[in-house]
Amino acid sequence: MTLLSLAILFPLAAAAVILASGGRGGVSRAVFLGAAALEVLLAAVMWAGYRDPGPGRLAYEEQLRWIPNVGSTYHVGTDGLSLPLISLTAVIFLACAVYDWGARDRPGPRAALFLFLEATSVGLFAAQDLILFFLFFDLSIVGMYFIIAGWGHGDRARSALKFFLYTFLGSLALLLGFVGLYLASAPHTFDIPELLRAQPLRGNPAGLWVLAAVVVGLAIKTPTVPFHTWLPPAHTDAPSTGSAVLAGILLKMGTYGFVRIAMPLLPDAWRAWTPVLIAVGVVSVLYGALVALAQSDLKRMIAYTSVNHMGYIILALAAAGAGGGQAARETAVTGAVTQMVSHGLITGALFLLAGVLHSRAGTYDMGAFGGLAAPAPRYAAFFAVAAFASLGLPGFSGFIAEFQIFAGSIGAAPLTALALPGILITAALFLRALQRVFTGETRGKSPSVTDLRPAEALSSGGLLVLSVLVGLVPVPLLDVIAPAAASLVSLLGG
């Protein structure tokens, strides 16, 4: 068993231990925290031992017989596109375990569900078989549905149902695309490396329709405009740790699917769809920022910034198929993967901090607060740092990601410059939120808000420290991503 398989199976074993113990609070919290910490250790060991395997090759690879009659195997492995996201998954779940240390509402089932979600997330980023990818993709939907429905607030049942139906519809479209790839291959297979070598739909007009099914399925999960409407209510009504996982990890399953499946397996169709994808990226960037600017609910505002930030990723990946210089396209893809990591760290921290506000005052309404910096100075400082990180200020990971995205995208497809105002609008909406909630006379519910507790500060602060480290010393991350990005761009051709 490789370290990668151990990283997939260990959270499931920890979840089973929690359920076998009867879900007692102290045991559940300790097992969740210990398992999440060990998962970070496993990710660190994999990162330390990682060497770029070269084009079309994988590190920590393992392949076992699974469903032989349809050519599907348990095939896992990692490269520069997946290892950063596996590491991000481990970090986000550890932050959630720390944040939830004081949870009192059915802590056993809650911890077991989060560990189940961690296993499915690592499994998806490691999967090298389309059916295995689809399995983890669907199981993540089930896990998050129960998190929202069981531990959310507000109209949680409706929000959970909307999330499930929307994303499950996307998974059906995705399955249809996978079947198209399977039927086009000879011999039939769901193995991603084999499909990569065979390119069964290269030069075939049917590839356009197969890609359309794959793109719709992944776009709903990402989500992009116009498939984003499930996201704001799901975030608003989810518990804070649920929102951190949803934004930090589950949304990346969609964008990761683009770089792992859609682009390399259907390069001709991807290039043909480039104008549409660029338009979707530009609209998502601008629409997400403008709608976020109009929000009075803090959590909905952060949710719409996710539409904006995911739009940057789509923009960069679309530009990589638009032709132009090889170096510019490689920079765009590297920026897109860096943005996946950066968004997970920063938005995860923002949602944890938004949860602090709700736990103290029972509302996310920014109009209910004012002058919060006086009674909660540490909370104000953490939120300000997270806000500046999210708007792409130099010194944070967001700047490294967005600079590469626009430098590469504009170099490959100058029309992508239309999305640049999204950065300005994002800055405006965060500065407006900081002014409304934290400055001025202390009023409304602000006097009753106590400052950050140690677990809250450690969980959100840890994510922000990592964002700063990536922003100041990006080389370790970029050295892993860049070779894989170069291989992906060479597959696209053009």
Side-chain angles (χ1 to χ4, degrees):
M1 180 185 293
T2 65
L3 281 173
L4 196 54
S5 290
L6 183 61
I8 297 169
L9 296 175
F10 181 73
L12 290 177
V17 168
I18 289 173
L19 296 177
S21 71
R24 292 191 297 272
V27 172
S28 300
R29 288 190 290 270
V31 171
F32 184 18
L33 182 61
L38 185 57
E39 197 78 356
V40 169
L41 179 61
L42 287 172
V45 171
M46 284 192 286
W47 193 286
Y50 178 79
R51 300 294 182 271
D52 179 48
R57 299 173 66 87
L58 299 164
Y60 306 107
E61 187 174 12
E62 185 173 7
Q63 188 169 15
L64 302 171
R65 282 168 56 86
W66 185 35
I67 317 177
N69 60 311
V70 296
S72 182
T73 62
Y74 171 82
H75 190 184
V76 295
T78 188
D79 60 9
L81 301 176
S82 57
L83 183 59
L85 296 174
I86 291 170
S87 303
L88 173 69
T89 299
V91 167
I92 292 289
F93 277 94
L94 177 58
C96 291
V98 172
Y99 186 93
D100 271 350
W101 181 254
R104 294 289 181 266
D105 183 12
R106 293 160 293 156
R110 178 177 177 138
L113 268 174
F114 272 100
L115 287 167
F116 172 78
L117 268 174
E118 183 167 18
T120 61
S121 300
V122 174
L124 182 138
F125 294 132
Q128 298 296 326
D129 180 276
L130 293 179
I131 294 300
L132 192 62
F133 182 98
F134 178 79
L135 171 70
F136 289 125
F137 191 92
D138 263 14
L139 289 177
S140 71
I141 298 171
V142 174
M144 185 51 65
Y145 167 81
F146 284 111
I147 290 291
I148 299 171
W151 285 268
H153 38 257
D155 196 0
R156 61 187 184 185
R158 184 176 183 275
S159 296
L161 182 62
K162 187 173 185 179
F163 159 79
F164 185 90
L165 293 178
Y166 252 93
T167 50
F168 189 67
L169 175 64
S171 75
L172 293 179
L174 192 64
L175 181 61
L176 183 62
F178 288 175
V179 170
L181 282 163
Y182 170 80
L183 294 176
S185 60
H188 295 326
T189 183
F190 285 104
D191 190 76
I192 294 174
E194 286 186 24
L195 290 168
L196 186 63
R197 288 188 289 269
Q199 294 292 322
L201 287 169
R202 186 178 287 278
N204 189 333
L208 295 171
W209 298 104
V210 172
L211 181 66
V214 172
V215 165
V216 167
L218 297 174
I220 290 174
K221 188 80 165 186
T222 297
T224 65
V225 175
F227 305 114
H228 67 286
T229 55
W230 63 266
L231 183 67
H235 271 312
T236 303
D237 295 333
S240 53
T241 46
S243 291
V245 169
L246 179 58
I249 305 301
L250 267 61
L251 301 191
K252 309 308 177 298
M253 294 179 176
T255 53
Y256 174 73
F258 287 121
V259 297
R260 175 59 64 201
I261 297 167
M263 296 173 71
L265 302 189
L266 296 158
D268 293 346
W270 185 266
R271 289 196 304 272
W273 275 92
T274 288
V276 174
L277 293 167
I278 288 176
V280 168
V282 170
V283 171
S284 295
V285 167
L286 298 178
Y287 176 85
L290 286 169
V291 177
L293 182 63
Q295 299 304 307
S296 60
D297 183 292
L298 180 63
K299 216 176 183 195
R300 287 182 74 89
M301 183 197 79
I302 299 170
Y304 275 109
T305 64
S306 289
V307 177
N308 164 266
H309 286 101
M310 294 298 99
Y312 290 134
I313 297 172
I314 301 302
L315 193 71
L317 299 180
Q326 179 89 0
R329 297 159 68 204
E330 290 176 11
T331 300
V333 173
T334 303
V337 180
T338 306
Q339 176 76 334
M340 294 183 206
V341 175
S342 174
H343 177 266
L345 295 173
I346 297 168
T347 307
L350 280 168
F351 276 121
L352 293 180
L353 290 169
V356 171
L357 207 60
H358 188 273
S359 69
R360 305 289 199 275
T363 182
Y364 298 113
D365 182 15
M366 289 186 282
F369 301 92
L372 187 56
R378 190 162 59 249
Y379 178 76
F382 275 58
F383 195 93
V385 170
F388 284 118
S390 188
L391 61 85
L393 196 72
F396 294 98
S397 56
F399 174 77
I400 301 296
E402 291 174 18
F403 175 78
Q404 291 183 98
I405 284 172
F406 279 107
S409 298
I410 295 172
L415 275 175
T416 56
L418 292 171
L420 277 170
I423 298 175
L424 181 63
I425 300 168
T426 303
L429 68 91
F430 274 113
L431 291 174
R432 178 171 173 265
L434 287 170
Q435 288 179 338
R436 292 182 66 182
V437 176
F438 296 102
T439 64
E441 181 184 350
T442 303
R443 59 180 178 80
K445 294 182 178 291
S446 294
S448 64
V449 176
T450 56
D451 215 342
L452 287 176
R453 301 184 181 110
E456 296 163 344
L458 184 60
S459 56
S460 58
L463 298 179
L464 294 176
V465 167
L466 286 174
S467 177
V468 172
L469 287 175
V470 172
L472 296 178
V473 191
V475 172
L477 177 62
L478 299 183
D479 279 350
V480 170
I481 297 171
S487 298
L488 179 59
V489 171
S490 67
L491 284 170
L492 284 176

